[in-house]
Amino acid sequence: MPKPKDYNQNVFINCPFDDKYFELLKTLLFTILYFKFNPRLALESSDSGLSRLEKITRLIQESRYAIHDISRLQAKSANEYFRLNMPFELGIDYGLRRFHPNYNDKRSLILESEKYDYMKAISDINGMDIKNHKDNPGQLIECIRSWFSETVGLRDLNGSEKVYSDFIDFNTDLFRTKMNKYAGTHNSTEAEKFASSEINELTIPDFIDEVKTWLK
């Protein structure tokens, strides 16, 4: 499979897609777009004719970079299974880089919540540079910014506090834009409710497009 022309700008995202992680996912997407790279993830499109694994392997092949967040491996309650999709996809990405000479230029970032948590589940990756974000959006931005500098080689990057401030401004402007959309035909209470509902229902492609528009 030939590499796509945007291979060097694509960042495959391997992370949980549950509601509890969604705020971190939005922070992750914003930061990647902020530094002018393309986030690629399984939720970017919906095609019932394509298996999830087929989609994921294609995204990994199309992306020089990858961010693997393995912070949700542990089961949180009795009778809940460990979540193994993230280490499985990390293994696919690592295997492609390790065993296929056309992909030895791939680079990745592994994230966890608390330092050394991964050792309890997948100690085989001991020795790799793994960053911990403590489930904090500001800390997550700092991790990604450092990786773009240390591994991707970007220079003169805005500091993580500036990126976080811009992320908050983006969210404020997004809400204001949606409020204005409904304000002409509804009272303020209804307009706020409809704006919040619309933002909560944004799909990943919607959200990415909103960020791209704001960053122009």
Side-chain angles (χ1 to χ4, degrees):
M1 173 181 171
K3 295 175 180 176
K5 62 181 181 181
D6 51 358
Y7 171 78
N8 289 323
Q9 292 300 118
N10 289 342
V11 181
F12 171 68
I13 298 176
N14 170 22
C15 70
F17 293 133
D18 56 61
D19 291 342
K20 292 181 179 177
Y21 189 83
F22 199 62
E23 288 305 312
L24 286 176
L25 175 57
K26 289 194 290 187
T27 308
L28 183 55
L29 292 170
F30 179 88
T31 308
I32 291 170
L33 290 163
Y34 191 90
F35 291 125
K36 304 187 186 310
F37 280 71
N38 306 320
R40 304 293 309 275
L41 64 172
L43 295 182
E44 69 181 29
S45 65
S46 177
D47 179 2
S48 299
L50 193 66
S51 75
R52 183 182 178 87
L53 183 57
E54 188 179 353
K55 182 189 298 184
I56 288 168
T57 53
R58 179 173 55 80
L59 291 172
I60 290 173
Q61 283 184 292
E62 291 178 351
S63 304
R64 180 178 181 186
Y65 301 104
I67 295 178
H68 304 277
D69 192 331
I70 57 173
S71 62
R72 299 295 193 273
L73 296 182
Q74 186 177 9
K76 297 297 183 184
S77 60
N79 300 320
E80 183 182 355
Y81 289 98
F82 285 90
R83 303 171 68 175
L84 301 178
N85 281 336
M86 281 78 75
F88 179 69
E89 292 170 27
L90 168 60
I92 295 173
D93 189 44
Y94 177 81
L96 183 62
R97 171 180 172 174
R98 177 71 175 79
F99 298 111
H100 197 306
N102 288 346
Y103 291 94
N104 58 16
D105 60 350
K106 288 176 73 66
R107 297 293 181 269
S108 60
L109 167 65
I110 301 175
L111 296 167
E112 62 177 341
S113 182
E114 301 297 332
K115 202 168 185 179
Y116 304 128
D117 268 358
Y118 73 93
M119 288 288 289
K120 302 167 188 171
I122 45 174
S123 58
D124 282 355
I125 62 174
N126 185 28
M128 293 182 174
D129 182 18
I130 298 172
K131 299 184 185 299
N132 57 299
H133 53 59
K134 300 179 180 177
D135 295 327
N136 179 285
Q139 186 75 28
L140 175 60
I141 290 171
E142 190 173 329
C143 291
I144 299 169
R145 182 197 175 281
S146 294
W147 178 71
F148 271 123
S149 173
E150 297 163 351
T151 304
V152 182
L154 302 189
R155 292 292 178 267
D156 196 29
L157 299 174
N158 284 351
S160 54
E161 287 194 21
K162 169 61 175 165
V163 180
Y164 192 28
S165 174
D166 286 340
F167 178 55
I168 293 171
D169 288 345
F170 159 73
N171 283 294
T172 302
D173 290 345
L174 177 63
F175 182 74
R176 185 181 297 121
T177 300
K178 300 302 182 187
M179 273 285 288
N180 290 339
K181 177 179 176 180
Y182 297 107
T185 52
H186 299 81
N187 62 45
S188 60
T189 302
E190 289 178 329
E192 182 175 341
K193 182 179 73 172
F194 294 148
S196 297
S197 175
E198 182 176 335
I199 291 172
N200 288 335
E201 291 176 3
L202 287 178
T203 63
I204 293 299
D206 284 333
F207 181 81
I208 289 174
D209 284 347
E210 293 284 0
V211 176
K212 285 180 177 177
T213 300
W214 190 84
L215 289 171
K216 283 180 181 176

